[in-house]
Structure formats: C-alpha cells, structure tokens
C-alpha cells in the first residue's frame, strides 16, 4: 500500500496521507467523469481531428445503470406466457402500474360482489321498489339499494363491521356467497401484499448502492498493461463473496465465414493477484491484464485507438455478483463501457485517506476522476511461431527417430542396474530391513 496526497480543490485543506492500490501522479490535472474532451483525447491515443463516422455513438446493449436495452419482438403467445408466471410479472411491473392494479383489484372486487349482493336482495324481494311488508326478513339487513349492497361488500371484505348491516339466516345462498367472497379476496390480498413486500425487499435495491467508475482506464500495473475499473460499496453492511467478471460484446467473423453480431468473450478481472472474494470494505480497483490471451489485444496493439471504426466496435459489460449480508440474498450489479469511455494512458487517483483522528476516509469526490500517467502503457502482440522448413523437419525427424530409442534403451539399462544394486544392499544390510519394517 502506497502513500500519497490526493489533490484537493481548496488550498487551505489539511494534508492527508492517502492509501491506494495505484500510485498516481497527483501533479497532473484531473479529468471530470463527464468531461468529453478529456475522454476523447485519452481514448484517441493522442490523435487530432477525428471523422464523424469514427465518433459515431454506438447504442448500448446495457445501459450504465445495468438495464437491458434489448427489445423483444414477434413472440407468439407472449401474453399467455406472462400470465402463466404471474409472480414474476407482478414483480417486474413498474410501481405506478402496480399501485393502479392494487387499487383497481380491491375496488373491482368490492363492486363485483356488491352487484352479486344486490342480485340476491332483488331475487329475495328485499329492495325498496318491491315494498316489502313490515314482517319481511331480508337476506342482509339494511341492503335495499345498490349503494347499500356495495357498502356491505366493502365492510365484509375489509372486516369493518359497523353493526347495522349484517347477514341473516333467511337465505342459504347469501351465506355461501359470503364464504366465497372472503376466501377469494383473502387469497388475492395475500398475493398482492406478497408481491409488494418482495418488490421492496429485492436485492436490486441493494445493488443500487454499489457504484462503478464512470470510466475505465488502461495503464501499467506490475509492469504489464491493465484495464482497470473501480468499484465501491456505499453502505457499511458488507457484500460477501464478491465476483467481478466481464463480457466483451463485439462483431466477429468465424472460420466458416459466419458473422456473429454480438459475440461474447470473457474478460477476467482480479484484485492484486487473486480474483476470489475481494473484501469490498473500501473502494477497490479491479484489473484485467491485457496480454496475448486477452480479447482486447487487437485494440490495445493500436494504443487504444477507439476512433478506429473496426477496432472500436465493441462494448465491455462488467458484472459483479455478491451476497447481501443482512438478508443472504444474491444481488447482481451491472454496467457497461463503450470504447470512448475507456481512457488509454490514465489511472485512478487515491480515494482513501487517513484523517488526523486516525480514521480511514473514502473521499468519493475523486472516485470518478482520472489522472494522466507518467509513462503510457505499451502492448505488443507476439508474432505467431513460423513453421519449420522442410529441411529442418526432415533433419529433426531423423534425429528424433534415432535419439529417443537410444535414450529409452539407456534408461532401461540404468534402471535395471539400480534395481540390482538396491537388492544387494537390502540383502546385506540388516539396518535397512529394520527401517523398512518400522
């Protein structure tokens, strides 16, 4: 862990000792996370004028906040599929539609059963227009109009019970209807209330408190060019078993000549020398080593030239999976980086400092800022091995055909000699017998 002093906007602020995974040149000006000129200059590798075709804005597959931008069309029976999985459909529903459906469900059931109670009263002759006699016993007391039937349905379903509207023993149909209403509406209330609680307690809300850096940077780390991103947990409650992976989406051409529009390539990330369960108590920098096995090798060989239409036609998806400590639920946080959001030759400044009271402080004012490196990263692709000539293949094959056989014979002869010597030693040495028996 290195020590440095983070840049400050105020000259009179006290000096702090900073600790970070990256040694940063703090004398260089910092770029804002929304600065367009700095990102273009860094990503372009120092190039000047850029054509309009090279600077085209590529539409994202995944937005910066992790939402999918893929639209699904022409799915036969899509509505029936959603109705078969009502639980997921209700959970994915937006809050405004959920509140409307919640209110409409209760108001609709109140009115529907109110109409049924009105029909029961009409069949039994309890309504005012029938002018029932004074000794007439209605099915439901004080239900003589449609409004009274609606109020009785509401009071029964919500178990208010004001006291002057009640069911009597006169109509068995009314008793069956009351039981049916209470059972059906109880099941609906349990379902709707459960979806509300599940939507509120979803790990997606916990994932919103995990922050990714607005830009990814490429600089040297341990003598090798690395793609770096910064991740931070905004809460004090820990995330257990954090795993950060990357997917590179780009158009590729197979050996059979087939064009794959969104071909996915793995982009592994690690912290320091390990990728297993980083301790995300402070903002961490995750590294992807750009070597000959990296899917970014062709892009890095050109110095991160995102202005090249062919090399810059990709999108980097970063996915972090973790377990929420208080609820033990699994959450996943996602973001994406376009080529113009990957800054070549920049690095992250320190964000963790030591306060005068001896506490570590994570200053998120520098979380999304970057600084120019002293030495730009350099990546060179290794050339593929040249095929051997015909003469060397013939000469090597001739030697390989003779030498291995000779070596096998010599090794077998030496093995037999060593075996005979061991046998003589065991027979003549009582100490070896005692040791072997222990």
């Amino acid at each position: 862990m290195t020590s440095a002093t983070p840049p400050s906007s105020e000259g009179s602020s006290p000096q702090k000792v900073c600790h970070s995974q990256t040694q940063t040149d703090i004398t260089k000006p910092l770029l804002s996370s929304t600065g367009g000129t700095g990102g273009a200059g860094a990503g372009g590798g120092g190039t000047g004028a850029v054509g309009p075709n090279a600077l085209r804005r590529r539409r994202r597959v995944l937005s910066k906040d992790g939402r999918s931008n893929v639209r699904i069309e022409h799915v036969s029976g899509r509505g029936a599929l959603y109705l078969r999985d009502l639980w997921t459909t209700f959970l994915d529903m937006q809050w405004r539609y959920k509140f409307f459906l919640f209110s409409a469900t209760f108001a609709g059931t109140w009115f529907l059963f109110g109409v049924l109670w009105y029909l029961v009263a009409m069949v039994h002759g309890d309504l005012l227009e029938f002018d029932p006699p004074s000794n007439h016993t209605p099915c439901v007391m004080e239900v003589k109009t449609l409004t009274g039937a609606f109020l009785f349905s509401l009071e029964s379903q919500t178990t208010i019970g004001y006291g002057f509207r009640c069911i009597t023993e006169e109509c068995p149909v009314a008793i069956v209807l009351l039981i049916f209403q209470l059972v059906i509406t109880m099941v609906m209330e349990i379902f709707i209330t459960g979806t509300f609680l599940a939507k509120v307690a979803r790990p997606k809300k916990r994932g919103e408190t995990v922050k990714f850096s607005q830009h990814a940077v490429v600089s040297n780390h341990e003598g090798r060019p690395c793609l770096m991103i910064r991740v931070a947990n905004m809460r004090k409650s820990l995330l257990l078993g954090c795993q950060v992976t990357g997917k590179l989406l780009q158009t590729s051409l197979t050996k059979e000549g087939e064009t794959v529009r969104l071909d996915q390539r793995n982009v592994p990330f690690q912290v320091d020398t390990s990728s297993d369960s980083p301790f995300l108590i402070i903002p961490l920098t995750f590294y992807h080593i750009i070597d000959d096995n990296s899917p970014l090798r062709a892009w890095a060989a050109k110095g991160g030239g995102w202005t090249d239409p062919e090399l810059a036609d990709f999108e980097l998806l970063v996915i972090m999976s973790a377990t929420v400590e208080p609820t033990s639920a699994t959450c996943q946080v996602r973001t994406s980086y376009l080529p113009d959001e990957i800054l070549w030759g920049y690095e992250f400044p320190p964000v963790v400092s030591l306060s005068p009271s001896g506490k570590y402080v994570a200053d998120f004012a520098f979380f999304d800022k970057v600084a120019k490196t002293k030495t730009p990263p350099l990546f060179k692709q290794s050339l593929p091995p040249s095929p051997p000539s015909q003469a060397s293949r013939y000469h090597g094959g001739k030697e390989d055909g003779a030498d291995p056989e000779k070596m096998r014979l010599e090794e077998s002869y030496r093995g037999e000699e060593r075996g005979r010597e061991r046998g003589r030693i065991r027979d003549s040495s009582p100490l070896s017998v005692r040791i072997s028996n222990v």
Side-chain angles (χ1 to χ4, degrees):
M1 186 176 292
T2 57
S3 298
T5 304
S8 176
S9 59
E10 299 179 3
S12 59
S13 60
Q15 186 177 5
K16 298 180 180 180
V17 181
C18 291
H19 303 265
S20 175
Q21 293 171 317
T22 308
Q23 181 66 33
T24 310
D25 182 12
I26 60 175
T27 59
K28 300 295 182 181
L30 299 179
L31 300 180
S32 174
S33 60
T34 57
T37 57
T47 57
V50 179
N53 294 331
L55 287 176
R56 69 188 189 280
R57 295 292 299 178
R58 184 171 181 264
R59 297 193 62 85
R60 296 179 181 271
V61 176
L62 199 70
S63 61
K64 293 294 287 185
D65 57 356
R67 297 182 181 179
S68 174
N69 292 328
V70 179
R71 186 174 61 185
I72 302 176
E73 295 182 347
H74 307 295
V75 180
S76 60
R78 183 177 180 180
L81 294 176
Y82 280 19
L83 290 177
R84 291 176 185 175
D85 188 12
L86 278 177
W87 183 262
T88 307
T89 302
F90 272 75
L91 288 182
D92 293 340
M93 191 179 296
Q94 297 182 8
W95 278 110
R96 54 179 178 269
Y97 300 122
K98 197 172 184 66
F99 277 115
F100 173 78
L101 186 62
F102 178 81
S103 305
T105 300
F106 278 94
T109 53
W110 294 337
F111 182 77
L112 175 62
F113 283 99
V115 172
L116 294 179
W117 287 114
Y118 180 77
L119 294 177
V120 170
M122 183 177 63
V123 171
H124 194 257
D126 300 337
L127 302 181
L128 291 177
E129 52 264 26
F130 295 143
D131 193 14
S134 58
N135 60 348
H136 176 76
T137 304
C139 293
V140 181
M141 301 295 295
E142 300 299 330
V143 175
K144 301 178 181 180
T145 59
L146 180 60
T147 304
F150 174 77
L151 293 175
F152 176 74
S153 174
L154 187 151
E155 295 169 12
S156 300
Q157 187 169 331
T158 57
T159 64
I160 294 177
Y162 288 118
F164 56 90
R165 287 190 184 93
C166 61
I167 192 170
T168 63
E169 301 176 359
E170 184 70 19
C171 303
V173 177
I175 299 174
V176 174
L177 179 60
L178 179 62
I179 296 174
F180 182 75
Q181 178 182 3
L182 295 181
V183 171
I184 294 298
T185 55
M186 181 66 67
V187 173
M188 295 180 60
E189 290 178 8
I190 292 174
F191 181 82
I192 295 177
T193 306
T195 56
F196 263 84
L197 295 177
K199 190 175 180 65
V200 171
R202 278 193 308 175
K204 179 181 178 181
K205 298 300 180 182
R206 178 62 177 90
E208 293 179 357
T209 57
V210 177
K211 186 176 182 180
F212 287 96
S213 57
Q214 289 292 326
H215 290 95
V217 297
V218 179
S219 61
N220 289 325
H221 178 68
E222 299 292 341
R224 293 178 294 183
C226 295
L227 173 70
M228 306 180 189
I229 61 171
R230 182 175 273 176
V231 184
N233 180 19
M234 309 294 289
R235 285 185 176 271
K236 289 187 177 181
S237 59
L238 299 180
L239 293 173
L240 309 178
C242 299
Q243 296 291 335
V244 176
T245 58
K247 295 290 182 181
L248 188 70
L249 305 183
Q250 61 182 354
T251 303
S252 62
L253 185 65
T254 63
K255 295 181 179 179
E256 294 77 16
E258 180 184 1
T259 301
V260 182
R261 182 173 296 274
L262 293 177
D263 187 21
Q264 297 188 16
R265 304 292 178 88
N266 289 327
V267 181
F269 284 90
Q270 64 182 18
V271 178
D272 296 332
T273 59
S274 175
S275 59
D276 298 333
S277 300
F279 192 46
L280 197 61
I281 194 173
I282 59 174
L284 296 180
T285 301
F286 288 81
Y287 305 89
H288 166 68
I289 301 175
I290 303 178
D291 51 14
D292 292 332
N293 298 323
S294 173
L296 294 169
R297 57 186 180 276
W299 174 78
K302 293 295 184 67
W306 62 271
T307 56
D308 191 339
E310 296 181 358
L311 296 179
D313 187 19
F314 67 85
E315 181 178 355
L316 177 62
L317 309 184
V318 181
I319 306 167
M320 192 192 79
S321 302
T323 302
V324 182
E325 184 183 26
T327 61
S328 298
T330 302
C331 73
Q332 188 181 87
V333 193
R334 302 172 294 269
T335 190
S336 72
Y337 297 94
L338 294 180
D340 56 335
E341 295 172 341
I342 303 177
L343 309 181
W344 185 271
Y346 281 76
E347 61 185 357
F348 293 115
V351 295
V352 180
S353 60
L354 190 62
S355 64
S357 61
K359 292 184 178 181
Y360 287 97
V361 179
D363 189 359
F364 281 87
F366 305 105
F367 183 83
D368 287 325
K369 294 185 178 180
V370 296
K372 189 75 173 178
T373 58
K374 295 180 180 179
T375 57
L378 182 62
F379 173 74
K380 293 183 179 180
Q381 285 184 288
S382 60
L383 298 176
S386 59
S389 61
Q390 184 176 1
S392 61
R393 286 199 302 267
Y394 175 77
H395 181 69
K398 185 176 180 181
E399 290 183 353
D400 294 342
D403 290 343
E405 184 67 23
K406 183 178 179 181
M407 293 175 63
R408 282 196 297 269
L409 292 175
E410 291 179 354
E411 288 293 334
S412 62
Y413 176 75
R414 292 172 183 171
E416 292 175 359
E417 288 293 332
R418 287 193 295 267
R420 284 194 293 269
E421 290 177 359
R422 292 194 190 98
R424 288 194 297 269
I425 293 174
R426 290 193 185 98
D427 295 339
S428 60
S429 177
L431 180 61
S432 63
V433 176
R434 288 195 298 269
I435 293 176
S436 62
N437 290 336
V438 173

